[in-house]
Amino acid sequence: MAVAREATPVESAEDVKQADLDSEDLLQIYRNMLITRGIEERGHILYRQGKIPGSFYTGRGNEGASVGVATAMQAMDVGTPIQRDMGVHVTRGTEPWRIFAQYMGRSDGLAAGKDGNVHMADIRLGLIAMVSHLPALMPVAVGAALAFQIRREPRVAVAWSGDGAMARGDAHEAMNLAGVRKLPVVFIVDNNQYAYSTPNRLEFACDHLADRAAAYGFEGVVVDGCDVLTVYREAHAAIEKARAGGGPTLLELVTLRMEGHAVHDDAFYVPREMLEHWKEKDPIERHRRWLKESGVLGEAVDDEITVEVKKLLNEAMKRAEESPLPDAADLDTGVYADPEELDTPHHR
Ligand SMILES: Cc1ncc(C[n+]2csc(CCOP(=O)(O)OP(=O)(O)O)c2C)c(N)n1
């Protein structure tokens, strides 16, 4: 039995007004989604050219979900994005050239060559880099939310998980503590319907992952993750509710993982008809159509934005390639915190 609320789609100008977005915000969302996809498309090329070591993951189909949530966060908030959430890094202001440098293991990458691909984040932008073990970052975000509550700071933590990772114990522990303490945290599930080759029906027996929220004492909402405006509206409401002391929310953003788990995987186990069906729901095309029908985006501005994004990304790739490989002498810098870094009221 489904218990979570199903979010109604944002459609009319009135809905958008309620979502608190002006034309510039709507265009910035579009730009950020294009940059996100553009980075990952170019990443594929760099990988095939042998310029990216290790593996390569993308969030194709998840651009609306990741950009929508990140747009709803305030600068003071923190988040723990995962392997499908390039849009969060882009929206928070990570420069694309540093992302390419990260992919290529260069010293200007966010991990300075010490960790690969999506294992990156700029802490100065309020993002915490993911470790491999999933969903190990959920309790970390809950810890941040607990600190905000204890210090009476009006900040919110956003914790991401995949659908498969929601079956692990860390997810339960994180949501239970957050519910008990009414912590300022919002849980986002990127439900892209597959965990590697395992489909949703073999991952959980409830109708929706968001149904679980009720058992932890907070609201769960199922959202069309291909609809960036609805994602934004629901994320904004949940984040501001958490900030006001209303406790956590679990938002399940439903999409389809449009590419394999990583570059080595052709996703042969995903029915082709399913991929075709979800291709029609492409979040970028959908937002572009909506912008055009609503009179926010004309042909000329669309062309301008497309050219601008292309130029940004081509220059970014070039700049990243000029970044040197890390120096072996720097192997242990940035690995452990310095005593001065630990000299904060929180650590004393
Ligand atoms: C504890 C743990 N087990 C296994 C893995 C290997 N692994 C990485 S991603 C992944 C699939 C996760 O699926 P899901 O949470 O649905 O996210 P998706 O990759 O589909 O976006 C697995 C099994 C891991 N990183 N951590």
Side-chain angles (χ1 to χ4, degrees):
M1 188 191 63
V3 288
R5 172 167 68 82
E6 293 200 23
T8 52
V10 164
E11 271 159 1
S12 65
E14 188 48 39
D15 288 342
V16 170
K17 225 170 101 196
Q18 265 185 19
D20 206 15
L21 294 169
D22 62 23
S23 298
E24 198 33 58
D25 300 326
L26 292 164
L27 290 177
Q28 192 56 37
I29 285 173
Y30 179 52
R31 222 176 262 122
N32 286 339
M33 289 202 289
L34 287 176
I35 294 172
T36 300
R37 182 164 295 175
I39 288 174
E40 296 189 332
E41 283 178 347
R42 282 163 182 77
H44 264 300
I45 297 167
L46 293 171
Y47 184 86
R48 290 203 196 96
Q49 289 174 337
K51 291 179 179 168
I52 295 183
S55 197
F56 177 65
Y57 303 78
T58 76
R60 195 178 184 93
N62 202 53
E63 297 89 347
S66 57
V67 171
V69 174
T71 305
M73 293 169 70
Q74 290 195 17
M76 68 173 107
D77 299 335
V78 301
T80 60
I82 52 162
Q83 64 271 27
R84 312 298 171 198
D85 298 315
M86 180 60 67
V88 175
H89 298 280
V90 169
T91 305
R92 297 285 294 181
T94 311
E95 291 176 279
W97 79 276
R98 297 206 61 208
I99 297 172
F100 288 126
Q102 165 74 14
Y103 282 161
M104 293 191 272
R106 305 305 172 98
S107 58
D108 289 301
L110 295 165
K114 294 191 177 74
D115 204 345
N117 55 65
V118 289
H119 295 280
M120 61 169 191
D122 190 337
I123 192 83
R124 292 163 307 178
L125 300 174
L127 299 177
I128 299 172
M130 62 177 282
V131 292
S132 197
H133 298 81
L134 301 170
L137 268 283
M138 278 177 82
V140 173
V142 168
L146 181 60
F148 299 155
Q149 190 185 61
I150 291 169
R151 297 179 193 159
R152 298 180 196 280
E153 293 174 355
R155 302 165 71 186
V156 176
V158 181
W160 270 269
S161 173
D163 42 284
M166 286 292 282
R168 298 262 317 172
D170 336 28
H172 164 70
E173 293 172 30
M175 292 195 290
N176 187 57
L177 180 64
V180 169
R181 298 274 189 127
K182 259 190 150 191
L183 296 179
V185 56
V186 175
F187 297 103
I188 306 291
V189 181
D190 287 335
N191 182 0
N192 57 22
Q193 303 189 59
Y194 281 84
Y196 214 127
S197 56
T198 307
N200 271 184
R201 72 187 157 77
L202 297 174
E203 292 170 13
F204 51 91
C206 42
D207 285 346
H208 304 292
L209 286 166
D211 291 342
R212 291 185 186 163
Y216 296 109
F218 49 88
E219 195 190 16
V221 190
V222 185
V223 186
D224 178 350
C226 297
D227 179 357
V228 66
L229 298 181
T230 307
V231 170
Y232 170 82
R233 186 193 60 201
E234 296 298 330
H236 183 257
I239 289 170
E240 292 316 314
K241 178 182 169 185
R243 200 184 312 284
T249 305
L250 169 58
L251 300 180
E252 176 183 350
L253 312 182
V254 184
T255 60
L256 181 66
R257 200 192 65 209
M258 296 304 288
E259 288 173 334
H261 175 72
V263 73
H264 62 273
D265 170 26
D266 67 1
F268 67 92
Y269 45 82
V270 180
R272 296 297 105 171
E273 313 78 64
M274 197 174 174
L275 283 164
E276 284 307 314
H277 175 73
W278 282 81
K279 205 169 157 197
E280 296 298 310
K281 291 155 78 84
D282 184 90
I284 300 184
E285 289 310 317
R286 180 168 176 169
H287 188 52
R288 179 187 284 135
R289 225 174 19 246
W290 188 92
L291 289 172
K292 288 197 166 159
E293 282 165 12
S294 311
V296 180
L297 179 71
E299 286 304 326
V301 177
D302 194 8
D303 289 347
E304 228 173 79
I305 292 177
T306 313
V307 170
E308 178 200 308
V309 168
K310 212 170 170 177
K311 186 163 173 279
L312 171 80
L313 296 182
N314 290 343
E315 285 172 7
M317 278 203 300
K318 201 164 157 272
R319 187 167 173 197
E321 288 205 65
E322 285 161 10
S323 170
L325 285 166
D327 190 330
D330 293 331
L331 190 65
D332 61 0
T333 50
V335 175
Y336 299 101
D338 295 326
E340 307 83 68
E341 285 171 335
L342 290 174
D343 190 21
T344 66
H346 183 56
H347 287 95
R348 264 182 231 135

